[in-house]
Amino acid sequence: MSRKKEHTRPVPAGPRPTGPKAAQVRLPAAGAVAVAAALALTGCSSGGSSSSASSPAPTASSSGSPSGSGIKPASSAPAQSGNQLQDAYQKVIADVLPSVVQITTGDSLGSGIVYDDKGDIVTNAHVVGTATTFTVTLANSTTSLAASLVASYPDSDLAVIRLSSPPSGLKPAVFGDSGKVELGQITLAMGSPLGLSSSVTQGIVSATGRTVSEPRGGGSPGATIGNMVQTSAAINPGNSGGALVNLNSQVIGINTLAATEPEANGAAAPGIGFAIPASTITSIADQLIKQGKVTNSGRAALGITARTGFNQQFQPAGAVIVAVSPGGAAASAGLQAGDVITRIGDTQVDSLNALTTTLAALTPGSKVTVTYTRDGASKTADVTLGTLETP
């Protein structure tokens, strides 16, 4: 059976990994990594615990266990608790799945999330690539709808497309508060993995605040994205652009990357996926819809142009400043072209990629100490970070 192409690309996750086996990350679909739906336990744990606590103490069974023998019949509480969790899953799926769509771009498949009732759909920039027209299929529907590009912002790997004729009853997703995402919360990933539309997988929030660098190619410029949510919910090719949801039926992220094992010929590393957080999604999507471009990236910057510097052994040894933007953060702190940045705060910088990754984890207005060399001498400067300018 033939199937449309779903891109998968290896990429290093976060700062340069150390240790014997550094995991890599892939973009699970040329236009598609399903957003995992994070389901917070707060929606069901209280019901399960109260049910168990209120169960009356069991007595001797009529089948012959003598009173006082210490043998008690099994409590039904675990089954009740399991049913409550299952009911919570099913409610979230019923609430959110109608807001998750499949996007077809040429011969590639991806996923997206209905953003408003005007037909705007948010997805990954690497899903849309260079295309400007798309075919969209709503959940539980076989009708193909035409859509066109509103705008794309590859630096944050986000894009918005718009349905040409939005149907009645279009259901926008509800986006959650990224600041309330915590480790251990249940997540559901919804999207079209391998072209299987309206698919759902489950897991938990494994970590927050991850900084991950994407691979270049296939519509991605190799963006470095900070504050990503790591989840154990399965993320497969075709899931890109889909929803990561919590148990309150709120989208907490757009699933974008999945880990691969570099020593296993790029085979998937199960249970390690990454989603762009809801706060980034709403900030960028609102700007793309209202202005057609991003004017406030929300990303920290030094206000420099730089390249990787090498030592006499031809090993990466820092980020060389090529040019300093007048009035920018670096210029205000006295940094100059030719300076070689070797550390930001306590984080070593041995390349341009390391500098970009470090800055992606910081926020505009943060104060950091920059260590650099000038004419062979090591110096430091206290810098108040600016905002990354957009074209």
Side-chain angles (χ1 to χ4, degrees):
M1 177 181 68
S2 62
R3 187 176 66 221
K4 290 181 178 294
K5 178 177 61 181
E6 295 144 322
H7 306 295
T8 299
R9 304 184 295 280
V11 57
R16 183 179 298 276
T18 57
K21 294 174 66 178
Q24 291 184 312
V25 173
R26 66 180 178 183
L27 292 174
V33 157
V35 165
L39 305 174
L41 279 173
T42 53
C44 68
S45 59
S46 60
S49 59
S50 61
S51 172
S52 175
S54 62
S55 298
T59 57
S61 69
S62 59
S63 60
S65 296
S67 177
S69 67
I71 301 176
K72 299 178 180 181
S75 169
S76 62
Q80 293 173 350
S81 177
N83 288 337
Q84 288 174 341
L85 182 59
Q86 176 177 285
D87 290 345
Y89 278 21
Q90 292 176 332
K91 180 181 185 302
V92 172
I93 292 170
D95 287 345
V96 183
L97 198 58
S99 303
V100 181
V101 306
Q102 179 175 289
I103 300 173
T104 302
T105 307
D107 63 349
S108 300
L109 291 174
S111 303
I113 305 170
V114 177
Y115 194 73
D116 57 35
D117 57 9
K118 298 177 182 178
D120 291 313
I121 295 170
V122 64
T123 185
N124 284 131
H126 77 260
V127 169
V128 304
T130 59
T132 57
T133 59
F134 315 90
T135 299
V136 173
T137 305
L138 303 181
N140 303 319
S141 172
T142 57
T143 302
S144 297
L145 304 174
S148 59
L149 179 67
V150 173
S152 179
Y153 186 59
D155 284 345
S156 290
D157 200 359
L158 290 170
V160 174
I161 66 175
R162 181 173 297 155
L163 295 175
S164 301
S165 299
S168 60
L170 200 61
K171 186 177 182 180
V174 175
F175 288 80
D177 183 347
S178 296
K180 295 181 179 180
V181 176
E182 297 180 351
L183 272 65
Q185 287 182 330
I186 294 176
T187 61
L188 298 182
M190 301 182 186
S192 300
L194 304 177
L196 300 172
S197 62
S198 302
S199 292
V200 182
T201 57
Q202 65 87 27
I204 64 169
V205 173
S206 305
T208 59
R210 295 295 198 199
T211 299
V212 181
S213 294
E214 298 180 351
R216 294 181 182 273
S220 170
T224 297
I225 305 171
N227 201 32
M228 296 188 83
V229 179
Q230 181 181 331
T231 180
S232 63
I235 306 298
N236 294 297
N239 274 148
S240 288
L244 182 65
V245 186
N246 64 20
L247 283 183
N248 291 326
S249 299
Q250 298 170 334
V251 174
I252 61 170
I254 281 185
N255 284 347
T256 302
L257 298 165
T260 59
E261 174 53 64
E263 294 186 6
N265 297 320
I272 305 177
F274 301 92
I276 299 172
S279 59
T280 301
I281 298 167
T282 54
S283 173
I284 299 300
D286 284 346
Q287 294 179 70
L288 294 178
I289 292 169
K290 294 176 182 178
Q291 305 164 177
K293 63 180 181 179
V294 174
T295 56
N296 181 7
S297 66
R299 297 166 64 97
L302 283 170
I304 62 173
T305 301
R307 62 174 177 80
T308 299
F310 297 86
N311 59 23
Q312 294 181 346
Q313 287 72 44
F314 301 102
Q315 297 297 316
V320 181
I321 298 177
V322 176
V324 178
S325 301
S332 299
L335 293 173
Q336 304 173 4
D339 292 343
V340 182
I341 298 174
T342 58
R343 189 175 294 272
I344 300 289
D346 295 328
T347 304
Q348 182 178 350
V349 173
D350 61 2
S351 64
L352 176 59
N353 182 67
L355 175 62
T356 302
T357 300
T358 302
L359 291 174
L362 302 172
T363 56
S366 300
K367 294 183 178 180
V368 297
T369 298
V370 176
T371 303
Y372 63 98
T373 58
R374 178 183 295 171
D375 299 327
S378 180
K379 300 177 179 292
T380 61
D382 293 328
V383 180
T384 299
L385 297 174
T387 302
L388 180 66
E389 297 182 356
T390 59

